[in-house]
């Protein structure tokens, strides 16, 4: 082929491209799949106005297509070594995307030593895991697949399985405009789906943020519990306050005199961080037991007994555990049950039943 | 070549005129305010029971978070320039150490004044932007409103039984009292005129515990958010916690 012919053949399609540019830019079309068009629909996260201002990563804009792909990957055991366990195997919607077991079991029958955390309102979490070791939702999503006690797969293997799958390649194309399936794209899609898991439809929200005038919205016991929670009597609000019911900071709440799990201390290497863990959000708390990083408490009764009477002093116990010198906040049986009643107003029944969050298969 | 040299000299002279001309018009200046902390002159080190309060308790500091607001420079004739409306300081976060104004009008300023905490116009529910940081400073006690002005927290040796206890100096509006503190500090030889200044404010944490009132951790206990007597004591002590460490051209 001579030089002019090359120019001609290159020039012909180029002319089309240029003439196209004159009007609306057309989405790229893949020559091997001319019937598929990359034209994702932007998705606006619907967050309550009273939630903290949201910082979204600039390199992972949410789209309908990305969320759909993420939802499928979240529920599909294909990402695990023997194709039996998905994210949802440990993060179950009925328990606000947490695990009802003290320790979750991975595909090899192995268990970790941390309780599976609920995945909700995750768009507002920047340091993930109990000890904050993962920075960002995308970074976290890469972890479980290769974790030997969880899904125990390699990403290259998982990618191969996705590439051979009849549907995933086109779903990746719709979401990211490329046939080159990467683990980064998989993590981005999962993160997009996780960010949609917003829980804010509770009696607590109606009463205290939406100012619903219905006088019967909360019982007298629940209102009493609210006073305990939001005054120094119970003093829960200093860590579990605000609309997210967490400060998203790290504290030692006095579980142990000598914490076996170093928590944040392991991550920062500081002895002054020993035994500190991320304050869990108390949203849906009635659904997310067992409680604490090691799932040591089966019920909310046990949790409240602990805060009332069994705090353990250590050098790193948080100053906000104001009454550690007397064992805790010392509640009466009635006060304890009022506080627990209030904790139940954080339950979002719609969240655990929403179709858009459920298994798509 | 010669003409070129002449031109260069002429250009230089012209630019000098231009420069002086600007100077005559008085240029706005750039002022940065720094917030630093010590305990009786010792550098602040967290989580170490190495300081002693006037009441005799060895103590440590775990956290120091607070707001200053309406930070203002004042000239002798009362002309005022606000450097910053609200600033949040976390002594553990270097990024919160300072704030700046780039357009400070030229003039001789005699005082820097500010509010420790928030005044009643800002200290209402939702008065500050809904950031996680501001939400964490909320004061949700039913009947009260707004934000904590300060969280100064740590541990102390209660003496006697050798028991280590927690202390929490939380200040804010309670029981209908606003409790914010107006602070004003004199500046000397501080003229803004197209130049860049740093004003270094230093808080001596011990001042909260001794001047004019001796604060005994045992006396008020760790829970003072609804205790107006305790708030009054801290309000009185708070007016002397800051001094100007230095004012420097940068």
């Amino acid at each position: 082929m001579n030089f002019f012919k090359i120019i001609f053949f290159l020039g012909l399609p180029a002319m089309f491209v240029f003439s196209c540019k004159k009007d609306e830019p057309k989405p790229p079309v893949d020559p091997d799949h001319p019937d598929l068009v990359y034209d994702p629909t932007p998705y606006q996260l619907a967050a309550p106005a009273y939630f903290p201002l949201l910082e979204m990563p600039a390199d992972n804009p949410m789209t309908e297509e990305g969320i759909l792909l993420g939802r499928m990957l979240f529920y599909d055991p294909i990402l695990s070594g023997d194709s039996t366990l998905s994210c949802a195997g440990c993060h179950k919607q009925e328990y606000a995307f947490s695990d009802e077991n003290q320790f979750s079991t991975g595909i090899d029958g192995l268990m970790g030593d941390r309780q599976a955390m609920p995945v909700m309102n995750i768009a507002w979490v920047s340091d993930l895991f109990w000890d904050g070791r993962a920075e960002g939702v995308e970074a976290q999503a890469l972890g479980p697949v290769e974790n030997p006690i969880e899904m125990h797969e390699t990403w290259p293997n998982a990618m191969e399985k996705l590439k051979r799958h009849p549907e995933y390649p086109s779903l990746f194309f719709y979401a990211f405009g490329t046939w080159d399936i990467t683990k980064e794209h998989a993590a981005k899609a999962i993160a997009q789906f996780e960010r949609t898991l917003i829980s804010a439809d509770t009696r607590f929200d109606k009463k205290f943020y939406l100012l619903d005038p219905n006088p019967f919205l909360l019982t007298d016991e629940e209102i009493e519990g609210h006073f305990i929670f939001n005054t120094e009597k119970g003093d829960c609000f200093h860590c579990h306050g605000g609309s997210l019911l967490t400060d998203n900071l790290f504290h030692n709440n006095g579980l142990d005199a000598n914490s076996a799990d170093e928590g944040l201390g392991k991550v920062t290497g500081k002895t002054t961080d020993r035994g500190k863990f991320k304050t869990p959000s108390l949203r849906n708390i009635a659904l997310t037991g067992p409680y604490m990083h090691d799932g040591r408490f089966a019920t909310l009764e046990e949790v409240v007994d602990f805060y009332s009477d069994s705090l353990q002093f250590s050098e790193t116990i948080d100053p906000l555990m104001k009454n550690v010198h007397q064992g805790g906040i010392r509640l009466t049986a009635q006060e304890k049950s009022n506080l627990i009643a209030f904790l139940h107003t954080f339950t979002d029944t719609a969240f655990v039943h929403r179709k858009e969050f459920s298994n798509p298969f | 070549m010669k003409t070129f040299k002449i031109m260069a000299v002429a250009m230089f002279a012209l630019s000098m005129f231009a420069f002086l001309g600007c100077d005559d018009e008085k240029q706005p200046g750039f002022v940065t305010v720094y917030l630093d902390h010590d305990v009786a002159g010792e550098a602040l080190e967290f989580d170490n029971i190495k300081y002693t309060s006037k009441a005799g308790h060895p103590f440590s500091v775990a956290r120091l978070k607070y707001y200053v607001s309406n930070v203002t420079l004042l000239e002798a004739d009362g002309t005022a320039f606000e450097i910053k409306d609200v600033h949040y300081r976390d002594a553990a976060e270097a990024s919160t150490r300072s704030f700046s104004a780039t357009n400070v009008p030229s003039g001789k300023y005699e005082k820097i004044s500010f509010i420790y905490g928030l005044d009643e116009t800002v200290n209402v529910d939702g008065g500050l932007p809904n950031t996680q940081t501001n939400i964490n400073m909320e004061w949700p006690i039913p009947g009260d409103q707004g934000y904590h002005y300060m969280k100064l927290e740590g541990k102390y040796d209660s003496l006697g039984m050798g028991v280590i206890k927690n202390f929490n100096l939380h200040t804010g509006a309670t029981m209908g009292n606003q409790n914010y503190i107006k602070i004003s500090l004199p500046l000397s030889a501080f003229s803004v005129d197209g130049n860049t200044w740093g004003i270094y404010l230093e808080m001596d944490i011990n001042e909260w515990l001794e001047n004019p009132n001796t604060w005994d951790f045992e006396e008020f206990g760790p829970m003072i958010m609804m205790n107006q007597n305790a708030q009054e004591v801290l309000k009185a002590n708070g007016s002397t916690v800051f001094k100007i460490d230095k004012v420097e051209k940068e």
Side-chain angles (χ1 to χ4, degrees), chain A residues 14-303:
Chain A
M15 270 171 65
F16 275 108
V17 170
F18 280 112
S19 55
C20 282
K21 274 232 169 104
K22 292 239 168 73
D23 38 49
E24 276 287 284
K26 279 266 160 58
V29 175
D30 190 277
D32 298 336
H33 307 268
D35 50 323
L36 297 187
V37 180
Y38 171 61
D39 189 14
T41 316
Y43 180 88
Q44 199 54 45
L45 207 55
Y50 51 87
F51 268 29
L53 299 169
L54 197 51
E55 283 168 37
M56 295 285 265
D59 63 351
N60 191 16
M62 293 178 69
T63 62
E64 305 271 3
E65 291 77 3
I67 295 165
L68 174 67
L69 172 61
R71 179 174 165 203
M72 293 179 72
L73 293 173
F74 189 88
Y75 278 97
D76 196 337
I78 191 169
L79 292 180
S80 66
D82 61 359
S83 297
T84 60
L85 183 63
S86 69
C87 308
C90 297
H91 299 284
K92 306 170 193 170
Q93 182 175 14
E94 55 186 315
Y95 305 113
F97 298 96
S98 73
D99 194 346
E100 80 280 24
N101 299 302
Q102 179 175 19
F103 301 120
S104 318
T105 310
I107 63 160
D108 300 332
L110 300 175
M111 280 187 213
D113 52 6
R114 300 247 176 99
Q115 218 268 319
M117 318 173 81
V119 181
M120 62 183 174
N121 300 333
I122 213 79
W124 288 269
V125 182
S126 47
D127 303 307
L128 291 99
F129 290 126
W130 283 103
D131 52 15
R133 68 187 182 281
E135 262 180 55
V137 187
E138 283 79 2
Q140 193 284 331
L142 287 173
V145 171
E146 296 201 323
N147 190 331
I149 61 168
E150 295 186 348
M151 297 157 85
H152 203 184
E153 177 58 292
T154 66
W155 271 110
N157 251 345
M159 294 295 96
E160 270 317 304
K161 286 191 275 182
L162 292 174
K163 280 176 190 158
R164 286 198 308 267
H165 192 276
E167 281 168 48
Y168 277 114
S170 55
L171 291 172
F172 272 84
F173 177 77
Y174 288 138
F176 298 107
T178 168
W179 296 92
D180 182 25
I181 294 181
T182 65
K183 63 178 181 187
E184 284 77 17
H185 282 135
K188 280 184 176 179
I190 294 174
Q192 289 189 32
F193 170 64
E194 289 178 300
R195 289 197 173 95
T196 65
L197 304 176
I198 294 177
S199 175
D201 186 2
T202 70
R203 289 191 294 133
F204 163 74
D205 291 86
K206 291 195 178 86
K207 174 81 184 170
F208 297 105
Y209 287 99
L210 306 174
L211 307 179
D212 187 323
N214 175 3
F216 304 112
L217 201 56
L218 263 56
T219 65
D220 291 348
E221 288 75 20
E222 288 162 348
I223 292 286
E224 284 302 315
H226 152 70
F227 275 95
I228 296 170
F229 191 95
N230 278 315
T231 64
E232 285 173 297
K233 177 144 188 71
D235 212 22
C236 313
F237 68 93
H238 274 116
C239 302
H240 298 286
S243 45
L244 293 177
L245 296 170
T246 172
D247 57 2
N248 270 320
L249 298 175
F250 297 82
H251 304 272
N252 176 344
N253 66 343
L255 288 170
D256 299 295
N258 200 346
S259 186
D261 187 333
E262 288 178 54
L264 181 66
K266 182 100 180 278
V267 178
T268 63
K270 290 191 200 160
T271 52
T272 49
D273 286 337
R274 200 189 159 100
K276 292 186 186 174
F277 293 88
K278 188 169 67 183
T279 310
S281 166
L282 296 189
R283 284 188 173 276
N284 294 306
I285 194 66
L287 305 175
T288 63
Y291 302 106
M292 304 299 166
H293 66 270
D294 53 7
R296 68 177 69 187
F297 299 133
T299 62
L300 287 175
E301 283 70 18
E302 287 175 54
V303 171

Side-chain angles (χ1 to χ4, degrees), chain B residues 93-114:
Chain B
E93 291 285 345
S95 61
T96 64
R97 184 182 174 214
S98 65
F99 51 89
S100 304
T102 51
N103 54 341
V104 183
S106 66
K108 187 171 180 324
Y109 293 95
E110 309 247 300
K111 275 191 276 192
I112 179 166
S113 74
F114 56 93

